[in-house]
Structures are given as structure tokens and as C-alpha cells.
Amino acid sequence: MKIVSTDPSNGHAELGSVESSTKDEVTSAVAAAHRAQKSWAASPLAERCGAVNSFADVARHRFDTIAQLIAAETGRPIASARTNVEWGIGYLNAQTEMAEQHLAPQDVYADDSQIHRVHFEPWGVVACILPWNFPFLAVAFQCSQALIAGNAIVYKNSDYNPLFGEMLGDLIDHSGIPNDTFRVLHGGSDVGMWITESDIDMLSFTGSSSTGRALAHLAAKRFIPYRAELGGSAACIVFEDADLDAVPQQIFDSRFMNCGQSCDAIKRLIVQESLFDEVITRLIEIARRTVVGPALEETTEIGPLVSERQRDVVESQVDDAIGMGAHVVFGARRPDGLEGSYYEPTLLTNVTTKMRVWTEETFGPVLPVVSFATEAEAIELANDSTYGLNGVVMSQDRDRLDRVGAQLKVGMVSENGLSPHSPTSPLGGYKFSGMGRT
């Protein structure tokens, strides 16, 4: 069966197709990975790091081609697609630099008669199932550490961007990573289930909470370790002493990057009453001058959603909010003159905690905004979610940043617009946002 790739910027015109992997091909790939893993794990760490660095070098050589494919297939603006590839290469190189320190045996106890030493060993074959929204960077996040540590990888890409998966296989083939050590498979949820039910030793998944929970059941039946980074509904708390010259743009960039299709984007904005009107006014000004357009145009700042189906979901969430009394202060419409799954950046006020834009993950360019009076109220609103991936606090009071951040039930807290992401930092969340860390 063919998996068709389409262009969300251009009426979903066909870009190409890839053959979906069969169940027999999944079984064969896992068996080949097991055979390759033994010699890979036995090779010196420096050799494994060199192979991963060679993959980064191949990607650097094809930098523009990778970025253009990401933009065409997913609707991510070309400038952002380039950043995705740049960050991914940076993560690959950084992880190889840190590997010796983190994988070296550690003496945890010693006295005159004994030494207790911890050795780090690979699991074996790790299945990595990845989403479409951060294609190259996700490979660096999710696959490279396991690969460097001596595991073999069986990888499945999203069926939204199958051509990227095909390109990834070609990049690997032209790198120093040995044959069968990193196997790429193609397909939808059926292929993901076949992989999970196959003879793998560990499962690593990034994607929706519903799929992640289903895979958790399968991993539990197999009694294999499972790491999941799932959806998020990050709250951003803006206190009255926040830097208004910087905060609105930081909020806008976080929420609407990649048309709002990011698990750790700000998805709920909680503003102290005294700043509420000013923050809304400034966000509207930014939205008015933001360029919405085709992903491959250099001036585009917000591209389309990845699919018509995803836009339909976002529209239904906004319609639900409007029907329950939310006020649209900007957007909530399809822009004129563009053929594709476009949706304007949307700002909603008069939002209640019963609306779907609050209770669900809104994976699109929509930002609900509420006000608060007290610090305790802000924390309660921020924690009012089944998700707990990350949170944001905006204030110039150091004690307040520490105090509030410590009370947010999330895996990562960023302050004043700083990113929580770094090759040195763990990534993951609480509640329905997943389990485990990279």
C-alpha cells in the first residue's frame, strides 16, 4: 500500500509516495537489527560516536534539501525548517561529545574491602516511533542517544511526512552507521502496532496522548521499558511585573511557531488582571503584522496546518469556545486567497475552564487567554490540566519565579521566555504528557 505525501501549502497536491512496510518486513527489520546490534555494541564508543557524527555530516551536506522537504511536506515555514535541521545537527554533535562522560562506569561506593561500580549497558533493539512536526530534530532527541549507547534502532516515521522517512533512510545509508543498525520503516498506526508487538527490547514514542497510552498497554504486556513524550497544554503565567517590552512577542512566538503544532508550545495564557488589556492589545498588534502563507516562501512566518483533518479539529475546538461565550479578538477564520489547510492565528478571551480549548490540547494556532488576581489563583489555573509537559512563568521577581515554578505540576519550567531545551537537559513531562526522560 502506498502512503501518499501531500503539500498542505498548495491544496494538498501530491508530492510523492512511499510503500508502507508489511508485517513481514517489520519482523525482518527487527531480526536484522538484533544481529547488527551485537557487533555495534561491541565496537568502541569512539567508533560509535564517529559513525553518528558522520550521519550529522551527511545531513549538514544536504542541509537545504532536508529543510525544503520538511517545509513542503509539513507546512513548517522554511526558515523554521532550517532551524529544525540546524538544531538537530547540533544535538547530534553535542551528544557524541558528552557520551564518554555519561556512559563511563561510575563508582558509587567504596571502602577498604570493596568497590560498587555501575556499568551502563544497551537494552538491545530500541523501537522509536516519531511524529511529523519536528522531523530531523526528533531523530536527534529520540534516536541518537540510544544509538550512541550501543542499541540498534528500528524507526517508524509519521505517515503525514513519509518522504522525510525515505530521505532519512538514505542519509543513514550514506553515513558511517553500519547496515541494519538503524532501520527505517514506513506506515501508519498498524505498522506501529506491529513494531511494538515484535521482538524489540525497548519502546520510545513521541506523539499524541491517546496513541501513547495505547502503546503503554502493549509495552506492559511485553514487559519492556517504555519512554513516552506525549501532548501538552502549557500554561504561561504573566505577572504584573513582567517585562512588557519582551513578553508579548515571546508568547506569540511560542504559541504560533509551526502554526501552533508543537507539544510544548504555550497553549493557555494566564495574565494578571492589571496587565490583561495591555497584553491582549500587543498580541493583536503582532498578529496583524504576521505573514501567513506558503511554507516555502521566505517571508512566511506562519504556514498551514499539516492536514485538513487537523484544521477541522482546531475549528471545532474554537466553535465550541464561541458557542460557550468566548470572545474572538483576532482570527478564528481561514485566510482569503490561500489554497491549503490554513487558519489565522486566533486569540480568545472570556474563556472558561469548561471549554475544549482549555481542557484539550489545541494543536493549532489558537490561544485562550484568562486573567487572575492572586498568585494562588494563577497556580491553580495553570495546574488545571490533564497534561503536564511544561510551563512558563513571566516575572522579574526571582523569589516568585522559584516559588511558582516549584508548584507547577510539569516536567519542565521556563522563565521569561527562555527555552528549557538543551542537549544537557532532560526532556519529558507528568500526567498525560508522558513518562520517562531523554
Side-chain angles (χ1 to χ4, degrees):
M1 183 183 74
K2 289 189 180 297
I3 311 168
V4 177
S5 173
T6 66
D7 180 357
S9 294
N10 185 31
H12 291 277
E14 183 172 337
L15 295 169
S17 63
V18 173
E19 284 291 337
S20 181
S21 301
T22 66
K23 192 170 186 178
D24 285 345
E25 287 171 338
V26 170
T27 301
S28 175
V30 173
H34 273 291
R35 292 190 294 270
Q37 189 269 333
K38 292 180 175 61
S39 57
W40 175 247
S43 63
L45 175 60
E47 186 176 314
R48 299 199 300 269
C49 289
V52 172
N53 280 333
S54 76
F55 168 71
D57 290 341
V58 172
R60 189 178 289 107
H61 182 69
R62 301 193 197 176
F63 186 95
D64 286 335
T65 302
I66 300 169
Q68 288 174 24
L69 179 60
I70 290 171
E73 237 182 344
T74 70
R76 176 184 282 272
I78 184 63
S80 179
R82 293 188 187 110
T83 300
N84 182 279
V85 181
E86 181 182 356
W87 282 13
I89 292 171
Y91 266 77
L92 291 168
N93 292 150
Q95 287 164 357
T96 59
E97 291 174 5
M98 293 186 289
E100 184 175 1
Q101 172 191 349
H102 287 282
L103 294 176
Q106 294 182 8
D107 291 351
V108 295
Y109 175 78
D111 61 23
D112 292 340
S113 62
Q114 59 185 318
I115 296 174
H116 292 205
R117 181 168 296 148
V118 175
H119 293 266
F120 299 96
E121 300 178 348
W123 287 99
V125 174
V126 177
C128 294
I129 301 176
L130 273 70
W132 55 268
N133 57 334
F134 283 83
F136 192 83
L137 182 58
V139 173
F141 271 166
Q142 196 163 331
C143 303
S144 60
Q145 294 177 59
L147 192 65
I148 292 166
N151 298 280
I153 303 296
V154 175
Y155 166 101
K156 189 193 84 69
N157 200 68
S158 167
D159 53 359
Y160 275 134
N161 60 332
L163 299 183
F164 173 80
E166 186 176 53
M167 177 182 283
L168 176 63
D170 187 61
L171 296 174
I172 293 166
D173 288 345
H174 284 84
S175 76
I177 297 173
N179 290 342
D180 298 326
T181 305
F182 194 130
R183 292 293 297 264
V184 176
L185 297 168
H186 309 281
S189 58
D190 53 346
V191 178
M193 292 300 178
W194 295 338
I195 294 171
T196 305
E197 294 168 346
S198 68
D199 186 28
I200 59 172
D201 299 300
M202 182 179 180
L203 176 62
S204 181
F205 172 74
T206 298
S208 71
S209 294
S210 57
T211 301
R213 293 167 71 188
L215 291 175
H217 285 286
L218 293 175
K221 288 180 181 179
R222 293 277 328 284
F223 210 66
I224 58 174
Y226 175 55
R227 185 221 66 98
E229 196 257 285
L230 308 178
S233 186
C236 174
I237 303 174
V238 181
F239 286 98
E240 59 188 356
D241 64 339
D243 179 4
L244 266 185
D245 290 333
V247 162
Q249 188 67 59
Q250 291 167 344
I251 292 168
F252 194 91
D253 291 345
S254 172
R255 168 65 283 203
F256 298 108
M257 179 188 67
N258 200 24
C259 203
Q261 298 166 116
S262 175
C263 55
D264 62 352
I266 293 172
K267 298 193 176 89
R268 295 174 297 136
L269 183 58
I270 304 167
V271 183
Q272 194 142 26
E273 290 173 344
S274 59
L275 287 187
F276 188 85
D277 290 344
E278 181 65 21
V279 168
I280 292 294
T281 297
R282 295 198 185 199
L283 287 173
I284 292 171
E285 291 172 353
I286 297 170
R288 282 180 175 149
R289 63 175 182 260
T290 298
V291 179
V292 179
L296 285 168
E297 292 188 4
E298 295 288 347
T299 57
T300 292
E301 296 170 282
I302 296 178
L305 289 142
V306 71
S307 68
E308 297 285 358
R309 182 175 68 179
Q310 185 58 38
R311 183 174 64 180
D312 290 344
V313 172
V314 171
E315 285 181 323
S316 71
Q317 290 171 317
V318 172
D319 289 345
D320 168 79
I322 294 171
M324 296 179 71
H327 297 160
V328 177
V329 296
F330 192 88
R333 60 184 292 272
R334 303 181 182 189
D336 298 328
L338 293 172
E339 294 296 326
S341 45
Y342 295 93
Y343 198 70
E344 287 189 346
T346 298
L347 301 169
L348 302 175
T349 60
N350 203 40
V351 171
T352 72
T353 59
K354 302 299 183 184
M355 296 173 182
R356 289 175 58 197
V357 293
W358 188 272
T359 61
E360 299 176 359
E361 179 181 26
T362 308
F363 214 63
V366 178
L367 181 61
V369 191
V370 300
S371 64
F372 71 91
T374 67
E375 183 178 299
E377 182 186 3
I379 294 168
E380 182 178 1
L381 285 166
N383 287 332
D384 181 29
S385 176
T386 57
Y387 297 98
L389 182 58
N390 61 304
V392 182
V393 185
M394 304 284 198
S395 172
Q396 298 185 68
D397 183 332
R398 178 73 262 164
D399 291 339
R400 173 182 280 159
L401 289 170
D402 292 340
R403 185 173 62 246
V404 173
Q407 295 178 74
L408 298 183
K409 302 302 181 184
V410 296
M412 304 174 287
V413 178
S414 60
E415 299 172 350
N416 294 323
L418 296 174
S419 171
H421 299 303
S422 162
T424 60
S425 303
L427 171 67
Y430 294 172
K431 299 187 277 189
F432 286 171
S433 288
M435 61 179 69
R437 299 288 185 272
T438 56

